[in-house]
Amino acid sequence: MSDNPHPNLMNMPEFFLKSILNKLDVQSVQTMRKVSPTFRYYVDHSRLDSRILKIEVFLQNPEKMSLDLKTANDLFEIEYLKNGENGCFVKYRNTSKEVTCQNIATTLGNDLGLILKKQLSVVKEFSLMCNENCLTTTCDEFVGALSGKLAERESPFKLKTLSWEGSIDEGQIMPLLSHCDRIHINKIELQRLNKSSELRPLLGVEEILNSPQWGRIKTFEAVGFVVANQMRHFTHLTSANFLIETVTTEDIMTLRQTALQTTRFNEFSFSYVNFTDETQLFGLFGQPHRTEHMKNKWIYKYPGGRDALLVIWETNRFKFSHIQPRSFDKFGIPKHDLVVL
């Protein structure tokens, strides 16, 4: 009788086993973890890639949540339903799993965290939508479980866009952002969907603004909030849309200077509540190019190029736009009359 074991997955060389597992989708990899302790150890300690492109988390209410995972070839829609005081059902397509001794938000956070522990490639967008009734305890439990799993990664999480919609507690953003690779993070979107309520200050973000990730952010959007921080925290952005509490003429001049330093600049729009030295603007910034449709418009030529920087000042709002020559007519820009600084 031969002493050689019968061929099976358990004694397959690691190279071939990894090749097989790399071809499996997210659900199949998680199923493989349940086959045996050996497979669970291998999946958890090997460098597989979940290959997620987009993540959407919906915290509808404390009794119902969902997770959508988009890959290049498939969409995984997973539903979480509360079951009793400390349990839940996890539903995916035609299957259902009961989880006991763990609440619904923690289960969702742990599940997503396990998947993202195996994510090597870049995720294009992580989107979280949180309803008002999930803002405090429920969202804290989800963020705590997810950030705990992200902390176990061997390397920072590669994410391009972090999007948070609905009710937002700024203190819940940093636990997720801190685990993002600062090389890849490019955009942050914050949108408060309860438009019927008054705008409130976007507070408690000093830790975010001083983080290594913030220094790499190029696009920032905040809808439904008043940014209480100084404009200097945002002048490195190449694309923006937000409402700031206070702006000064010096802020406007700094924005013009930084915008003209790179052709990668796109569009920087902001509204303001207070303009502390508005009467000094024309004297320091220069007289505007007047037209019938816009009262205040400035047009500058990019150094060493043909492109133009268009600055428009309307009621309580400034807009800085990078315009290419083919669009000059559309914006009423005189091709041979650009201001050179």
Side-chain angles (χ1 to χ4, degrees), residues 293-319:
H293 304 291
M294 300 176 184
K295 292 184 178 180
N296 301 302
K297 181 170 71 171
W298 292 264
I299 307 166
Y300 303 95
K301 183 178 180 180
Y302 270 88
R306 298 183 302 158
D307 297 1
L309 175 67
L310 174 63
V311 181
I312 298 174
W313 181 28
E314 298 177 304
T315 305
N316 289 80
R317 184 172 180 81
F318 275 91
K319 183 176 181 180

Side-chain angles (χ1 to χ4, degrees), residues 132 165-167 191-199 223-224:
E132 190 77 30
E165 298 182 19
S167 299
Q191 185 172 0
R192 189 163 175 247
L193 298 181
N194 190 359
K195 298 179 180 179
S196 61
S197 61
E198 295 183 0
L199 296 174
V223 178

Side-chain angles (χ1 to χ4, degrees), residues 56-321:
E56 292 183 339
V57 176
F58 303 92
L59 305 182
Q60 290 98 320
N61 57 65
E63 298 186 352
K64 182 179 180 181
M65 304 173 191
S66 60
L67 169 64
D68 290 355
L69 302 172
K70 175 67 176 176
T71 67
N73 302 313
D74 208 345
L75 173 63
F76 300 90
E77 299 175 310
I78 309 168
E79 189 176 44
Y80 294 77
L81 301 174
K82 183 178 179 180
N83 180 32
E85 290 299 320
N86 198 28
C88 67
F89 289 107
V90 182
K91 294 186 176 182
Y92 172 69
R93 294 179 180 172
N94 296 322
T95 63
S96 179
K97 178 183 71 173
E98 182 179 4
V99 177
T100 59
C101 301
Q102 185 171 271
N103 66 60
I104 180 174
T106 301
T107 301
L108 172 55
N110 281 335
D111 285 355
L112 179 56
L114 284 171
I115 293 171
L116 294 185
K117 279 184 67 175
K118 311 309 302 180
Q119 179 75 22
L120 299 179
S121 53
V122 179
V123 174
K124 292 184 178 181
E125 181 178 352
F126 177 92
S127 176
L128 172 66
M129 190 170 74
C130 177
N131 282 340
E132 190 77 30
N133 52 12
C134 292
L135 179 58
T136 53
T137 302
T138 300
C139 193
D140 282 343
E141 291 169 343
F142 166 75
V143 170
L146 176 57
S147 61
K149 293 298 181 184
L150 291 177
E152 298 175 4
R153 286 176 52 92
E154 295 180 359
S155 60
F157 175 42
K158 298 177 182 178
L159 175 68
K160 285 189 175 183
T161 298
L162 176 61
S163 176
W164 194 308
E165 298 182 19
S167 299
I168 300 176
D169 181 340
E170 298 83 6
Q172 295 167 336
I173 298 174
M174 194 59 203
L176 299 181
L177 184 64
S178 64
H179 295 296
C180 293
D181 188 338
R182 66 185 184 91
I183 300 299
H184 294 86
I185 190 72
N186 182 266
K187 182 177 182 179
I188 293 180
E189 298 176 329
L190 305 177
Q191 185 172 0
R192 189 163 175 247
L193 298 181
N194 190 359
K195 298 179 180 179
S196 61
S197 61
E198 295 183 0
L199 296 174
R200 68 180 180 88
L202 186 61
L203 299 173
V205 294
E206 291 300 327
E207 190 176 1
I208 296 176
L209 298 181
N210 291 314
S211 68
Q213 290 82 3
W214 180 255
R216 303 289 298 194
I217 296 294
K218 296 303 179 185
T219 301
F220 174 70
E221 295 183 11
V223 178
F225 297 91
V226 180
V227 175
N229 306 87
Q230 296 180 1
M231 181 65 80
R232 62 181 176 85
H233 292 292
F234 306 93
T235 53
H236 70 287
L237 302 169
T238 57
S239 182
N241 181 26
F242 59 92
L243 169 62
I244 194 167
E245 187 174 36
T246 302
V247 69
T248 66
T249 296
E250 182 180 356
D251 293 332
I252 307 302
M253 297 179 67
T254 300
L255 279 171
R256 180 181 65 183
Q257 178 183 357
T258 56
L260 287 171
Q261 287 177 347
T262 173
T263 55
R264 291 190 297 272
F265 183 85
N266 185 19
E267 183 173 290
F268 193 115
S269 299
F270 67 92
S271 301
Y272 58 87
V273 179
N274 303 306
F275 194 162
T276 57
D277 54 356
E278 179 178 338
T279 56
Q280 301 182 31
L281 180 67
F282 292 152
L284 297 174
F285 198 68
Q287 292 298 314
H289 178 88
R290 307 238 177 225
T291 65
E292 296 180 0
H293 304 291
M294 300 176 184
K295 292 184 178 180
N296 301 302
K297 181 170 71 171
W298 292 264
I299 307 166
Y300 303 95
K301 183 178 180 180
Y302 270 88
R306 298 183 302 158
D307 297 1
L309 175 67
L310 174 63
V311 181
I312 298 174
W313 181 28
E314 298 177 304
T315 305
N316 289 80
R317 184 172 180 81
F318 275 91
K319 183 176 181 180
F320 290 68
S321 302

